[in-house]
Amino acid sequence: MASQRRFNEILSWFERENPVPKPELKFENPFQLLVAVMLSAQCTDKRVNQTTPALFQRFPTAAALAAASTDEVFALIKSVSYPNSKTEHLISAAKMIVTEFGGEVPSDIDSLQRLPGVGRKTANVVTSVLYDNPVIAVDTHVFRVARRLGLSKGTTPLAVEKDLTKGIPEAKRPNAHHWLILHGRYVCKAQKPFCGQCGLSPLCAHYKKMAPAKPGSKPIED
């Protein structure tokens, strides 16, 4: 795992640049957030935000969605990735929420992961955003950015999650989740990262390998 100094300096930079990060998915209640996060798997938030208004208008509650037909839901979410499987998961999850959780989205990670289509990442996102649960959800952006910055050498999402959990104080974890996602989405992109425009370049392990060292520079040692 990276040194605590590296974590502290990177977190301080994020706090200066974006002190109050917000999720880009649009939602008004726990049910809507859960649905939006489920739809966002391997799909852009922009596309999900274009899809959910009509879906939420037609099915405003878990009970309404639980009573929906596959054809009805598919017609409303067909523009997102993997609409067939997501349709089945949404309806099945809604049914379980109604029958086992009184129509309310469960607030703990273990219960959330019992819902069809809800894995560890989705459960972490939901509890972090709704309840400031001090967990780190690792999606492709977080995985990539954490490794590039030198915050983790983990080769699996769970390994990266464990490293980030150790290095990031509990109070900062909900914000850190958004910081890393947004940085990966707009700056530290998978194919063409904007290293020359990134304020974290002096702290970045990946950039250190790619760029020649400047005279007198003192790289962070882990």
Side-chain angles (χ1 to χ4, degrees):
M1 192 182 78
S3 68
Q4 194 58 51
R5 177 189 170 193
R6 180 181 294 277
F7 272 100
N8 292 344
E9 294 199 14
I10 288 173
L11 292 173
S12 293
W13 183 87
F14 278 126
E15 287 178 320
R16 292 193 301 272
E17 295 297 314
N18 189 6
V20 188
K22 298 292 183 182
E24 294 191 316
L25 288 173
K26 296 179 180 178
F27 65 95
E28 295 182 356
N29 55 54
F31 169 70
Q32 290 187 0
L33 176 62
L34 175 63
V35 169
V37 176
M38 291 175 68
L39 290 174
S40 71
Q42 299 184 44
C43 186
T44 65
D45 286 2
K46 180 179 180 180
R47 171 59 60 186
V48 173
N49 288 336
Q50 292 171 343
T51 302
T52 50
L55 180 67
F56 293 152
Q57 182 176 19
R58 178 68 182 83
F59 307 110
T61 64
L65 185 57
S69 70
T70 299
D71 289 343
E72 287 178 303
V73 176
F74 180 86
L76 292 169
I77 70 166
K78 61 184 179 181
S79 65
V80 305
S81 59
Y82 306 106
N84 288 298
S85 60
K86 289 180 180 178
T87 294
E88 296 294 338
H89 287 155
L90 286 175
I91 294 174
S92 297
K95 289 179 178 178
M96 184 177 287
I97 289 171
V98 171
T99 59
E100 297 192 28
F101 300 103
E104 300 295 330
V105 174
S107 59
D108 65 283
I109 290 175
D110 290 339
S111 294
L112 280 166
Q113 289 187 92
R114 290 180 55 207
L115 300 175
V118 176
R120 186 178 182 87
K121 186 212 77 173
T122 296
N124 281 350
V125 170
V126 170
T127 60
S128 174
V129 171
L130 292 178
Y131 311 112
D132 286 332
N133 193 20
V135 294
I136 298 291
V138 178
D139 66 355
T140 55
H141 294 303
V142 175
F143 184 83
R144 178 178 68 255
V145 173
R147 285 170 50 84
R148 283 181 176 174
L149 288 175
L151 298 178
S152 175
K153 294 181 180 179
T155 57
T156 66
L158 182 58
V160 171
E161 179 186 334
K162 288 180 178 179
D163 286 341
L164 295 178
T165 300
K166 290 178 182 177
I168 301 174
E170 284 192 6
K172 296 184 180 182
R173 288 176 199 164
N175 281 346
H177 163 72
H178 297 305
W179 286 328
L180 293 169
I181 285 179
L182 294 173
H183 198 67
R185 186 172 291 161
Y186 297 112
V187 181
C188 193
K189 296 186 176 183
Q191 299 300 323
K192 295 182 179 180
F194 300 136
C195 296
Q197 304 170 33
C198 177
L200 284 173
S201 291
L203 305 173
C204 179
H206 175 74
Y207 185 74
K208 176 184 174 183
K209 293 179 182 178
M210 302 297 293
K214 295 182 180 180
S217 62
K218 295 181 179 181
I220 295 177
E221 298 296 339
D222 290 331

